[in-house]
Amino acid sequence: MVFNWFRRQFKGSEKSPEESKVKQPEVSETEETQTTSPESESQGSADGESEAAADDLNWAKAAYEHIQQAKTDSSALATSSEPSKTAEQMETSAVATELEAPREIDNESKKPKSFLERAKSERLGRLEELKERAIVEAESEPEPEPVLSEQTPDDSAVEIAFDEGFVWSAEVLKAQGRRPDRVSVEEITWLKRLRQGLGKTRRGLINQLKAIVGQGPLNQDAVTEIEALLLSADVGVQVCDRIIDRLQAKLREETLPPEAAIAYMKQVLRDILDNPGGKGYDKNFAPEKDTLNIWLVTGVNGVGKTTTIGKIAHLAQTSDYRCLIGAADTFRAAAVEQIKVWGTRSGTEVIANQGQNTDPAAVVFDAIAAAQARNTELLLIDTAGRLQNKQNLMEELRKIRRIIDKKAPDARVESLLVLDATLGQNGLRQAEIFREVASLSGVVLTKLDGTAKGGVALAVAEQLGLPIRFIGAGEGIEDLRPFSSYEFVEALIGG
């Protein structure tokens, strides 16, 4: 069963996550009018929390059982196909034996040799064998690196443990309206990896924030402490001020316990990410089926631009999209060879020009023609990212856009900027330069698995007004996924 990562659902599933949410049981009139004492209210609150925790745990267990059952069914199917292969191998072996048998008979029918002739023949045979071994060892090539032959592991081959990370991932999916029988191993693995990548930032924020916001309205000392925490997470001054203003206004209206204050803060962060620059964007960023979608990918050298293109291509292939890559970064050394390696890993054809310093617009022209001939749904174009000369970069991007408008006027065009999350505010300055020379429509945030603080995502959304479309949390081909503000915030400051 194909899992569409862009739509976050299995192929053939008609319901969206919002439509599949489980309806809460209706409360009867007698329950609504029933009054309780303060002691019973607190006891009811504690009971409600324990019941909610038990419900989340049961949901996680149901999801785990479904994954294990799917794994068992897949293994059984693979095992049932093995006997036929074995029979074919036995038949092939028998045929080979029959073909080799006459040769043995011919050898036996030869005229017997003398002792000296046999000794000479054996000596010459050993010499020839030694020569052959020496030639093979001298000319043998090194084995290809595993990275070039990497294959996507099947869900049935992935071992997953029912641990704290699994339960947390299941809670995140359940909160988004998912069903336990519609959860994939890939989703659980990705959420665990994202939570691990942001673990250092989360541990530094959550405990201190709970201690600060659980004391009523914020005084100046509390404001200073929160500012220091947020700035240390690369949030930026502008976003930091907005968060504190909204949090302070809420705490002046009512006194919230620490958990409720953190929950309100999560909502503030999600609002910033879902409405970058105060403008609403479509959260479901995906290629349109049966239509040519052209995504221009830009970014300076070293941020993971070419790697990101390969990962998006893999994501498109596994989500049942027809994909093609155009290698238009013709100036950077070995850029074309690198994108070809990623094309091989993702199973995606790469359109490139073998010449040195060729015109990128010519490559784009050829790539569009190939995409139209192959009925491609997603064309990823790798573009140059030279910040030392903005004028040349601007002219190159303008020329590429003219080629697209002329060659594919009906195509859906997106321009994505790849940013290295470990650069923090320096990465934000890079984004500002690219925004001046290119019509950006989104950002891909990479390298969230290392020393990145994660708060730069909020700065990008607030200060640049650009939505985060993809995030990467690892070097593997599976380590880049479409962005979800809910999942990101839970991994950043969730419990």
Side-chain angles (χ1 to χ4, degrees):
M1 185 177 293
V2 177
F3 184 78
N4 189 332
W5 263 103
F6 292 99
R7 301 295 181 185
R8 297 302 291 270
Q9 62 186 18
F10 288 95
K11 184 179 179 181
S13 175
E14 299 179 354
K15 292 186 178 181
S16 63
E18 290 77 10
E19 294 173 342
S20 61
K21 287 184 178 179
V22 180
K23 294 183 179 180
Q24 299 295 333
E26 296 182 359
V27 181
S28 62
E29 295 182 1
T30 57
E31 293 177 343
E32 290 180 353
T33 56
Q34 185 178 1
T35 58
T36 57
S37 63
E39 292 79 3
S40 61
E41 287 181 358
S42 60
Q43 182 65 31
S45 177
D47 293 342
E49 292 179 0
S50 61
E51 290 178 1
D55 184 54
D56 291 340
L57 183 60
N58 291 332
W59 197 96
K61 289 180 179 179
Y64 185 77
E65 291 175 359
H66 171 73
I67 291 174
Q68 294 300 317
Q69 183 62 43
K71 177 182 175 181
T72 302
D73 295 343
S74 179
S75 300
L77 182 62
T79 304
S80 63
S81 62
E82 288 180 1
S84 60
K85 293 183 180 180
T86 304
E88 293 176 2
Q89 293 175 355
M90 293 175 62
E91 182 179 355
T92 304
S93 177
V95 173
T97 304
E98 292 177 0
L99 293 175
E100 292 178 358
R103 296 181 183 177
E104 296 178 358
I105 295 173
D106 293 341
N107 291 335
E108 295 177 357
S109 63
K110 289 183 178 180
K111 182 180 179 179
K113 295 181 180 180
S114 66
F115 174 78
L116 294 178
E117 289 176 341
R118 290 198 304 270
K120 182 180 179 180
S121 177
E122 291 176 0
R123 185 170 63 254
L124 292 176
R126 286 196 297 270
L127 288 174
E128 290 296 331
E129 185 179 355
L130 290 173
K131 289 180 181 180
E132 291 178 0
R133 288 181 180 178
I135 293 174
V136 170
E137 292 177 359
E139 296 182 354
S140 61
E141 298 181 356
E143 295 183 0
E145 297 180 3
V147 70
L148 301 181
S149 59
E150 179 178 338
Q151 296 180 351
T152 305
D154 185 26
D155 285 354
S156 61
V158 177
E159 294 292 339
I160 189 166
F162 188 80
D163 52 11
E164 179 186 356
F166 186 99
V167 175
W168 175 85
S169 303
E171 290 177 0
V172 172
L173 294 173
K174 176 177 179 291
Q176 297 180 86
R178 299 296 301 277
R179 289 165 42 190
D181 60 340
R182 286 290 179 177
V183 173
S184 68
V185 176
E186 292 180 346
E187 287 183 289
I188 297 293
T189 305
W190 162 250
L191 288 174
K192 293 174 69 174
R193 189 179 299 117
L194 177 63
R195 184 172 185 253
Q196 181 180 2
L198 296 175
K200 184 177 179 180
T201 304
R202 180 179 63 258
R203 288 188 293 270
L205 285 175
I206 190 67
N207 292 330
Q208 298 183 59
L209 283 174
K210 285 182 178 179
I212 297 171
V213 300
Q215 303 174 0
L218 303 177
N219 54 32
Q220 188 57 41
D221 292 339
V223 170
T224 303
E225 291 183 34
I226 293 179
E227 285 180 347
L229 288 173
L230 294 178
L231 291 176
S232 67
D234 285 336
V235 169
V237 177
Q238 186 174 337
V239 182
C240 182
D241 292 341
R242 179 177 175 183
I243 294 173
I244 291 177
D245 290 343
R246 289 190 59 179
L247 187 60
Q248 180 72 295
K250 182 68 174 179
L251 293 177
R252 284 173 179 168
E253 293 178 0
E254 56 180 317
T255 301
L256 299 176
E259 295 292 342
I262 294 296
Y264 179 75
M265 189 173 179
K266 289 179 183 179
Q267 182 60 50
V268 174
L269 300 184
R270 287 195 293 269
D271 290 342
I272 294 174
L273 294 170
D274 290 337
N275 302 283
K279 295 177 288 186
Y281 286 84
D282 186 7
K283 298 179 183 178
N284 297 323
F285 182 73
E288 184 176 339
K289 292 291 291 183
D290 301 323
T291 301
L292 178 58
N293 301 264
I294 301 177
W295 290 3
L296 300 174
V297 184
T298 60
V300 299
N301 297 340
V303 298
K305 175 169 58 73
T306 304
T307 301
T308 296
I309 292 175
K311 293 179 181 180
I312 294 178
H314 171 73
L315 201 65
Q317 294 283 7
T318 56
S319 298
D320 202 26
Y321 285 93
R322 297 184 295 275
C323 186
L324 196 67
I325 297 176
D329 186 359
T330 59
F331 293 97
R332 182 170 65 88
V336 175
E337 288 73 14
Q338 185 183 4
I339 198 66
K340 285 183 177 179
V341 170
W342 277 101
T344 302
R345 295 179 65 183
S346 62
T348 306
E349 184 180 358
V350 177
I351 305 299
N353 193 319
Q354 299 300 328
Q356 296 292 331
N357 295 332
T358 56
D359 186 6
V363 178
V364 173
F365 184 90
D366 294 340
I368 294 176
Q372 292 172 337
R374 293 164 175 76
N375 198 22
T376 299
E377 294 171 322
L378 177 60
L379 173 60
L380 299 168
I381 297 179
D382 186 10
T383 61
R386 304 178 308 280
L387 290 183
Q388 61 269 27
N389 193 330
K390 292 192 295 183
Q391 187 62 33
N392 287 351
L393 177 62
M394 184 184 298
E395 290 300 325
E396 180 181 311
L397 293 175
R398 286 176 178 172
K399 187 175 181 180
I400 290 175
R401 291 302 293 260
R402 287 197 299 269
I403 292 294
I404 294 175
D405 293 339
K406 182 178 180 179
K407 186 70 175 174
D410 298 329
R412 293 185 57 188
V413 183
E414 302 285 349
S415 184
L416 301 176
L417 174 65
V418 181
L419 283 182
D420 183 349
T422 61
L423 298 179
Q425 295 298 308
N426 291 330
L428 199 63
R429 296 186 185 94
Q430 291 180 5
E432 291 174 349
I433 296 175
F434 271 98
R435 189 179 60 172
E436 296 174 3
V437 301
S439 301
L440 298 178
S441 58
V443 172
V444 181
L445 205 58
T446 64
K447 304 183 182 180
L448 281 170
D449 58 318
T451 59
K453 307 296 181 57
V456 67
L458 297 161
V460 168
E462 178 69 14
Q463 296 176 227
L464 299 181
L466 294 173
I468 310 295
R469 294 307 192 185
F470 296 91
I471 53 174
E475 298 179 357
I477 198 170
E478 297 279 351
D479 297 337
L480 182 131
R481 299 300 181 199
F483 180 75
S484 166
S485 63
Y486 184 87
E487 295 172 357
F488 181 82
V489 171
E490 288 297 320
L492 185 65
I493 61 172

